[in-house]
Amino acid sequence: MTCLKSGRNQKKTSICVLNSRRYMHMDDPRSLPGDADSSLVSGNDQPCVVPSKILNGRKPIVLPNSDIDGLLECPVCSSSMYPPIQQCPSGHTICFDCKAKVNNKCPICRKEIGNIRCLALEKLAVSLHLPCAYHRLGCEEMFPYYTKLKHEDQCVFRPYSCPHPGSDCPVTGDVPTLVAHLREVHKVDLQTECTFNHRYVKKDPCAVDNVSWTLTLFHCFGHYFCLHFEAFRLGGEAVYMAFVRFMGEESEARKFSYCLEVGGNGRKLTWQGVPRSIRDGHRKVRDSHDGLILQRSLALYFSGGDRKELKLRITGRIWEEL
């Protein structure tokens, strides 16, 4: 038998493990979970909730290998439940948004859910500190239950979406995973230089029905960058746009700058800016006009000749700000 006891001068609480079964004995049976100094035992007989009073007044912590946060998972949408948490007469819980999805019937016992709130579970959630959902990807932070989602929306360890434009690719992952994916699946070219000289040719520059694009990867300064060149309609007129995105966080992207230059017939147009993080979708960057933009008439002027064929040469470079 293994017993875990609370600290001195506190209500006596012990958890006894006997023959692989767990029993909780409390001197005061009227004590509530929030008042008792208890430690819940996980499947490997290790404490998974640390007593708040033993930790100098800090709230109980749910460790990453604990299943306690599963109690707060909706059985329908598998998302974390927030007040008002709904409960059926049998005690099964469901999030408020999913209640209407199941026509007010418990998905487990099929009983009418009604308007019963599970106040005990709501109070339990207030007392917990939970690990970030991305702790397996490197995040070591712990958060109060009701602020956990806000952090996860901005966590720097959350996966990136595939930066390839136009394909609505569902693949997510870290930067090395996405680089390999772009090269193998989307057949994107990778260059290991910080300067570039690209030539874009289009036989029928008037045919811009939806969107056409090209994407090139660059590896320099220990990071990866995406050079986009797109043709789309803006206000009914065909335009061409080039911009650079950084494969990483915005805070890191601000450490770099880039310039793009297009010219012809003795004229030159230059753009200088800061690469946008791939956290911003390529459509968001495009719609914000944060890049080198050419109207079709000017693009054809730079192309020279009879202006019936688009021939643009775009040069540029990426550098690290000191």
Side-chain angles (χ1 to χ4, degrees):
M1 178 177 71
T2 302
C3 295
L4 305 176
K5 294 185 178 181
S6 61
R8 185 183 303 171
N9 298 327
Q10 300 177 12
K11 296 175 184 178
K12 183 179 179 183
T13 302
S14 64
I15 297 176
C16 300
V17 181
L18 182 61
N19 297 329
S20 299
R21 298 185 63 182
R22 299 173 182 82
Y23 304 87
M24 178 174 287
H25 305 289
M26 306 181 69
D27 289 347
D28 185 359
R30 295 169 297 176
S31 298
L32 296 175
D35 299 326
D37 301 319
S38 61
S39 297
L40 302 184
V41 178
S42 63
N44 55 4
D45 295 333
Q46 296 296 321
C48 56
V49 177
V50 182
S52 58
K53 293 182 181 178
I54 294 179
L55 290 180
N56 300 321
R58 296 194 314 189
K59 292 187 178 295
I61 295 176
V62 178
L63 301 180
N65 62 350
S66 167
D67 290 331
I68 290 184
D69 52 337
L71 295 173
L72 295 159
E73 182 179 288
C74 174
V76 177
C77 64
S78 298
S79 298
S80 298
M81 296 185 290
Y82 290 88
I85 298 177
Q86 304 296 292
Q87 175 179 291
C88 79
S90 297
H92 304 125
T93 55
I94 188 174
C95 75
F96 182 79
D97 291 336
C98 287
K99 180 180 174 182
K101 297 178 183 178
V102 296
N103 297 319
N104 210 34
K105 297 286 187 181
C106 176
I108 299 175
C109 66
R110 307 307 300 169
K111 291 183 179 179
E112 193 82 14
I113 295 178
N115 294 309
I116 305 174
R117 282 180 66 177
C118 187
L119 298 178
L121 201 56
E122 292 178 7
K123 290 180 179 178
L124 172 65
V126 172
S127 71
L128 298 178
H129 273 52
L130 302 177
C132 172
Y134 307 115
H135 67 270
R136 287 187 175 86
L137 299 179
C139 184
E140 299 179 353
E141 299 292 332
M142 305 287 288
F143 297 91
Y145 181 76
Y146 291 113
T147 61
K148 178 172 172 282
L149 284 183
K150 182 177 180 181
H151 159 77
E152 290 170 354
D153 287 340
Q154 302 296 324
C155 180
V156 297
F157 291 96
R158 70 192 191 278
Y160 297 97
S161 298
C162 174
H164 193 272
S167 60
D168 294 326
C169 181
V171 172
T172 61
D174 57 14
V175 171
T177 298
L178 291 182
V179 169
H181 166 74
L182 286 169
R183 299 194 66 190
E184 295 171 7
V185 177
H186 299 292
K187 308 303 180 184
V188 174
D189 184 35
L190 173 64
Q191 299 184 15
T192 56
E193 298 176 325
C194 61
T195 60
F196 45 89
N197 187 338
H198 284 205
R199 188 167 183 256
Y200 299 97
V201 178
K202 188 173 179 60
K203 295 295 184 179
D204 185 5
C206 296
V208 185
D209 296 328
N210 295 310
V211 179
S212 57
W213 50 79
T214 61
L215 175 66
T216 305
L217 280 176
F218 291 88
H219 184 230
C220 52
F221 306 106
H223 296 276
Y224 290 92
F225 300 82
C226 300
L227 172 62
H228 295 259
F229 183 77
E230 303 192 1
F232 59 98
R233 291 194 175 276
L234 181 63
E237 182 179 358
V239 296
Y240 304 93
M241 181 176 180
F243 57 89
V244 172
R245 287 199 292 166
F246 175 78
M247 296 190 70
E249 295 299 309
E250 181 183 354
S251 58
E252 291 295 313
R254 288 196 291 264
K255 298 178 182 180
F256 299 90
S257 295
Y258 73 96
C259 67
L260 299 172
E261 184 178 290
V262 60
N265 283 336
R267 274 72 172 177
K268 184 187 300 182
L269 186 63
T270 303
W271 163 268
Q272 180 172 322
V274 176
R276 297 279 289 270
S277 166
I278 59 172
R279 292 290 187 199
D280 292 334
H282 97 281
R283 188 178 299 274
K284 179 179 180 180
V285 179
R286 189 196 74 186
D287 292 346
S288 68
H289 302 166
D290 190 4
L292 176 67
I293 298 179
L294 290 172
Q295 294 182 339
R296 183 172 57 192
S297 57
L298 183 58
L300 291 175
Y301 181 79
F302 284 150
S303 299
D306 55 9
R307 302 188 182 184
K308 292 182 179 180
E309 185 179 44
L310 182 70
K311 296 179 181 179
L312 288 179
R313 183 174 296 278
I314 296 181
T315 61
R317 69 184 182 96
I318 302 168
W319 67 91
E320 187 174 12
E321 296 288 355
L322 300 179

